[in-house]
Amino acid sequence: MNKFFCAEESRQAGEEIIGCATNRQIYVLIECPPPWTSDPLDSKFLPANLKALKEEIDTEALSVRFVLIHGDQLKRDRYTRVLIFRSKTGLSAGYTKQEFLVSDINNVASLLKDCLTGDATEHEAIDIQTRDILVCTHGSHDKCCAKYGNPFYKAALTTVSDLSLDRVRIWQASHIGGHRFAPTAIDFPEGRYYGRLNQESFVAILTRSGDIQCLNDVYRGWGLLPWATQILEKELILKHGWDWFNYKVASQIIEQNEDESFNQVEIIFETPNGDWGGYKAEIVEDKNNTLHLKGECDGTELYKFNQFVVKNMVSIWE
């Protein structure tokens, strides 16, 4: 039996966790109970037309990610819940949400096709304000997601209940990337990614309180931003504290060489009071700390994982 776990390998090697959030414009979440196959849209409780839809539409051009979700305490009898999160243009504090309850799961594909092609006028969305946290428990994709994700998910349910956070929903989720950082999670509607979570850091994230430095260990980045600007954004979180999570943000990569070992990036922000600020920095490969890891539990070869540092960070809004 293979007793190797990629999450332990990464943790012991001291791999930096920041900068690995998947940068997607649209997330499609479909309620479906596990077990899930390695390719979640092949799972037995889903109709074939959903996989056909994914093959029909250009998911890369639309920047769409499909994720299956499940929560025993959240299930509505005879309905399938579908959530669509879309990024906003310009300054933004997160994604916009549409939520639907579909009486026949065979109709989910047609709903999604209409929503993704901009013709969803005949579909009525539910108007409910929630915070949806997806915890990856997809063990058939990588066993670390089951080993670390399942216990964390169960403990997270208790934590949310103990804190009486009625608007926070905790979901099991299919693969969201970064299994070597398990347990992993995405916090919607913001779309921020976390990993190596424990209940202490989770409480801090839920309540936006406590030592902000805990994010050094668990913050993977913001899915709204390209990977290099995610690294700068973490530095700004540590600088501004929990208030940063109330700011609207926009970013750009000013300059990037071919192998992305050098990146000049910029972030501008607006506070709730209407104050503006901005920073520019260089995100540079730290060649002295390159890691060679398997990166997944079933890996047989070592792969190069670059580490990066922030240099020459300056304010551009004095």
Side-chain angles (χ1 to χ4, degrees), residues 43-62:
S43 299
K44 64 180 181 179
F45 295 115
L46 292 179
N49 62 2
L50 271 171
K51 186 164 188 179
L53 172 67
K54 184 181 178 184
E55 293 171 351
E56 177 185 346
I57 64 175
D58 191 339
T59 54
E60 287 302 316
L62 292 174

Side-chain angles (χ1 to χ4, degrees), residues 97-134:
K97 184 187 77 168
Q98 291 175 290
E99 183 168 337
F100 303 91
L101 286 174
V102 183
S103 58
D104 185 346
I105 195 170
N106 291 290
N107 294 332
V108 169
S110 60
L111 164 71
L112 292 177
K113 185 173 182 179
D114 290 345
C115 290
L116 295 176
T117 57
D119 184 23
T121 53
E122 65 179 74
H123 304 285
E124 185 174 354
I126 303 169
D127 185 13
I128 178 173
Q129 300 301 312
T130 58
R131 186 175 177 184
D132 291 281
I133 299 177
L134 280 54

Side-chain angles (χ1 to χ4, degrees), residues 28-168:
V28 174
L29 315 184
I30 304 169
E31 194 173 22
C32 174
W36 303 315
T37 53
S38 182
D39 181 342
L41 293 186
D42 284 332
S43 299
K44 64 180 181 179
F45 295 115
L46 292 179
N49 62 2
L50 271 171
K51 186 164 188 179
L53 172 67
K54 184 181 178 184
E55 293 171 351
E56 177 185 346
I57 64 175
D58 191 339
T59 54
E60 287 302 316
L62 292 174
S63 189
V64 178
R65 179 162 204 151
F66 287 85
V67 181
L68 302 187
I69 58 172
H70 176 71
D72 287 327
Q73 78 287 4
L74 299 169
K75 179 64 180 171
R76 289 278 298 272
D77 288 344
R78 300 183 297 279
Y79 287 95
T80 297
R81 199 180 301 266
V82 177
L83 290 80
I84 302 174
F85 290 96
R86 300 175 188 269
S87 65
K88 306 174 187 177
T89 58
L91 287 165
S92 176
Y95 292 74
T96 59
K97 184 187 77 168
Q98 291 175 290
E99 183 168 337
F100 303 91
L101 286 174
V102 183
S103 58
D104 185 346
I105 195 170
N106 291 290
N107 294 332
V108 169
S110 60
L111 164 71
L112 292 177
K113 185 173 182 179
D114 290 345
C115 290
L116 295 176
T117 57
D119 184 23
T121 53
E122 65 179 74
H123 304 285
E124 185 174 354
I126 303 169
D127 185 13
I128 178 173
Q129 300 301 312
T130 58
R131 186 175 177 184
D132 291 281
I133 299 177
L134 280 54
V135 178
C136 182
T137 59
H138 195 173
S140 64
H141 187 92
D142 189 279
K143 65 182 181 181
C144 278
C145 301
K147 177 178 174 63
Y148 301 104
N150 280 317
F152 178 82
Y153 165 73
K154 293 173 183 177
L157 292 174
T158 301
T159 295
V160 168
S161 176
D162 290 346
L163 292 172
S164 299
L165 299 175
D166 297 335
R167 294 287 184 176
V168 176

